[in-house]
Amino acid sequence: MPVSRLDADDCGFPHFRIRSPHKDQQPKIFDFSSHYRAAEALKFGLSMSEPGFNIFVLGLDRAGRMTATLDYLNKAMEERDAPDDWVYLNNFSRTNRPRPYALPAGQGQKLLAAMETLITHLREAFASAFNAPAHLTETQTQTEEARAQLREKFDALREYARERGLDVQENEKGVMIVALNEEGEPVSLDEIPKDRRNEAEDAFEDVAEEARKTLLSTRDLEEQIADTLDSLRRGAAKVVLKPRIKKLRDKFTSPGLKAWFDALEKDILDNIDAFEEASDQPAIESGDGKIPETVDDRYAVNLLIDHSRDNHPDVVLEPSPSYDNLFGQIQYRPMGGGMHPHFSLIKPGALHRANGGVLVLRAESLLEHEECWGFLKAALRDREIRIEETHKGGPPTAGAPEPRPIPLDLKVVIVGAPKFYYTFFSLDVDFRNHFRVKADIDADMPAAGRNISIYTGLLRASALSRSGIPVDNGAIRQLLGQAARWAGERDKLTAQIERVEDVAIEAGALSKAEGRETIRAADVRRAIEERRHRNSRLEDRSHERVQRREILIDSFGSVVGQVNALTVLDYGDHAFGLPARVSARSYVGSLGVLNIERMVDMSGPLQQKSVMIIEGFLKSRFAQDFPLSFACNVTFEQNYGGIEGDSASMAELCAIISAVSNIPMRQNVGITGSMNQFGQAQPVGGISHKIEGFYRICADQGFTGDQGVIIPSANAENVVLREEVVQAIRQGKFNIWTVEHINDAIELLTGMATGDRTDGQYAPDTVYGKAMERLRNNDLILRERHAYGPRTEM
């Protein structure tokens, strides 16, 4: 089976042909082929007016998913007209249930100004109308006539009393009946002679009854007078008010406002007296258990959303989607020794600001406010924005504000990493009802002409805007090479262009510090190396432990049952390779492969699966004529954490074969790769880090010229190494072999042929021949000990 050695040119940064965009072109991130699918999904989602077609944009971090999405959405909104303004106005019949009204963009500000002007003018106009000569004359006439009627009634009562020897007097306490002596002077009943006292008492009762009747008729007359005067005031006020209200009604014709202007007119006429008070003086009883309102508060316009300066709908990014930030809130003002709400203190949330446009949310931020997720789904379901005071516990407060909901018509776009989409949102049935459009950004893109052109244009623009100096072609090639390394494929570029832009910016800073006017390839290499140095403390410490023999890894000699497996450690900001010693010890038994990690619950399901695959391969090779007669412990030495994945299955099998056949394995060669039950090598991840990790071990312990690594052939296109390693390969210090089958790896590690099975036997001088001989002897030992029944020879 073929074994290939990679040349240095096949391992370093790929050499791409630079293709800059045309000078008139402005490349966008969504122009990448990796982003094009997501751009089409966004276009489709925005075109759907039916509810439920909201959008989730998912892509890797630093892939420009947010900046590109915002740029796309803003561009799309430019083609649409600005949405309506929204105002809250007083509900005069139920002041705790203010009503929302929609007005064409810019009309809300005009209504606010018009109402402020109306209230100011009404104060002056009412005062002028009530002080007009005609109004004063009519009021005086009505008042004098009423007074005359009252005097006539009182005089008639006095006359009635005097005819009976009594008199009626008025004082500050009201009407008082008194007795009169013979001289006509008021006296008490005790001063009346006894012979007249009974007669006076009877007369007193008669006069008292007549006084009661007179007082009742007087009160009716006073009420009539008050109604007459009020009618005069209302009439004068109507003359002032009606044309002004008609002017507003004709100017603002939005649905519902006509009825509100009618209610406004009636309420103003019911509260005319309040306009004579100072503007800051509460003079109107608002009901609902609230304290009195000022005129300005009662007739205020709460301009909730103002689009007077907008030409198109807003794209609103809400960074912290708490309930108040999304749905708005009702603020309170201190008054009368307490905190009191008012409809003018209703504040909008992001849903209000984005209504008619697009609301953008970060998936991770939404999960931080998971309690709001249910409210958001309810708003999308009911297509309305309700403001509820969720922060207030206990029963509802009497008179607490309950603003009527506002109709909701917008697109919600959630942007986040795939892990949030697949582990939380997509598992929610309601999510699939409301977010039917998935805009999926690929992790990488082909390193083809158009993508390279866009990449080049974006990198040049970013470096120039952030660093102030241009990037030359050599630096661009180096940056594209780093993009290929992060993509993990030589013919692809990572979609995480923002990571690459960061390197360009750091290179720009280094170049400026050296006084250069352009960013060169050397600046990019230095920036990459300095970044690696900043983040490699754990890597350096791990390799230091290898040098000090705290971690036992050798890059020389040969040992039975021992192989250097290539592994990767990823700490988020830095990933690096560090070999792990895999050892196997074989002995007589029938238990097969014993995975120590599995026995102590330190291995994941994938690693356990790989061991079972190894057993399948061994049984297919060596257990066709008799049972697999051996037991073998296999483990990752000095492993004190969990093991997961199958990328070490080839290394584990090599260690087992070595232990069974008693043939030593080379320690100057590391190996990585998965395998199937047929022994075919399968690709694994992190290949470049794994190679570099073993290279560093060899460099630290000294090159011998025959050191290197074994990788699956399918991983050849994934190798993108640092220049230091490439030079070592070019100088013959280090080697990379690719294999297609486990047999190739075993032969490289042992220096012996694995052997082909002919007539059920392997040649005795092959690896598998020696392994078969050992297994056959084990079987005989077990049979002699009666582990199995007697075997019948055929």
Side-chain angles (χ1 to χ4, degrees), residues 33-190:
S33 63
S34 58
H35 292 63
Y36 189 71
R37 190 195 309 267
E40 287 183 324
L42 278 170
K43 181 179 180 180
F44 169 75
L46 293 177
S47 69
M48 298 296 291
S49 58
E50 292 81 0
F53 286 87
N54 298 296
I55 306 163
F56 194 111
V57 179
L58 62 154
L60 295 179
D61 294 336
R62 311 308 308 282
R65 63 189 181 214
M66 179 59 78
T67 53
T69 298
L70 291 175
D71 181 68
Y72 184 93
L73 294 174
N74 281 308
K75 200 72 175 176
M77 290 301 104
E78 290 177 0
E79 301 175 1
R80 306 186 183 186
D81 296 330
D84 290 338
D85 292 341
W86 282 96
V87 299
Y88 266 111
L89 301 175
N90 202 346
N91 182 354
F92 303 114
S93 60
R94 294 183 64 187
T95 57
N96 70 322
R97 294 282 284 166
R99 294 177 178 272
Y101 296 89
L103 297 92
Q107 289 289 301
Q109 190 68 249
K110 293 178 180 179
L111 177 62
L112 173 64
M115 284 298 298
E116 289 178 346
T117 301
L118 173 67
I119 300 305
T120 301
H121 287 181
L122 285 180
R123 291 181 185 277
E124 301 172 358
F126 285 163
S128 298
F130 298 155
N131 290 311
H135 179 75
L136 292 176
T137 299
E138 182 67 18
T139 300
Q140 184 177 0
T141 300
Q142 294 292 337
T143 302
E144 289 177 352
E145 289 179 358
R147 287 175 179 172
Q149 293 181 44
L150 290 172
R151 177 54 56 189
E152 289 177 3
K153 290 181 178 293
F154 187 76
D155 290 344
L157 177 63
R158 291 195 71 183
E159 182 65 25
Y160 180 83
R162 285 182 178 276
E163 291 176 354
R164 288 160 179 73
L166 303 175
D167 193 10
V168 179
Q169 297 181 349
E170 287 184 290
N171 59 29
E172 58 185 14
K173 294 183 178 180
V175 176
M176 182 174 65
I177 302 173
V178 297
L180 299 176
N181 59 20
E182 294 180 352
E183 288 76 20
E185 297 175 347
V187 295
S188 66
L189 286 176
D190 295 337

Side-chain angles (χ1 to χ4, degrees), residues 301-342:
V301 173
N302 182 348
L303 181 53
L304 195 74
I305 298 298
D306 178 18
H307 288 293
S308 59
R309 298 182 180 180
D310 298 331
N311 297 320
H312 50 75
D314 287 335
V315 177
V316 177
L317 171 61
E318 176 50 57
S320 178
S322 64
Y323 183 88
D324 288 349
N325 289 346
L326 277 180
F327 292 87
Q329 58 180 312
I330 303 169
Q331 296 181 348
Y332 287 67
R333 76 165 56 126
M335 186 180 296
M339 301 297 290
H340 297 273
H342 194 265

Side-chain angles (χ1 to χ4, degrees), residues 564-566 647-648 650-651 670-674 684-685 687 690 710-712 715:
N564 288 326
L566 307 182
S647 65
M650 287 177 63
I671 181 172
T672 185
S674 170
V684 294
I687 198 70
K690 292 177 177 179
I710 298 172
I711 66 172
N715 278 126

Side-chain angles (χ1 to χ4, degrees), residues 14 16 444-447 480-481 483-485 487-494:
F16 298 113
D444 51 43
M445 68 194 79
L480 292 176
R485 176 179 168 88
E489 294 193 48
R490 300 183 61 78
D491 58 352
K492 290 190 176 181
L493 303 173
T494 179

Side-chain angles (χ1 to χ4, degrees), residues 310 432 453 528 587 595 703:
D310 298 331
R432 296 197 294 271
S453 174
I528 294 171
Y587 48 92
N595 180 11
F703 290 115

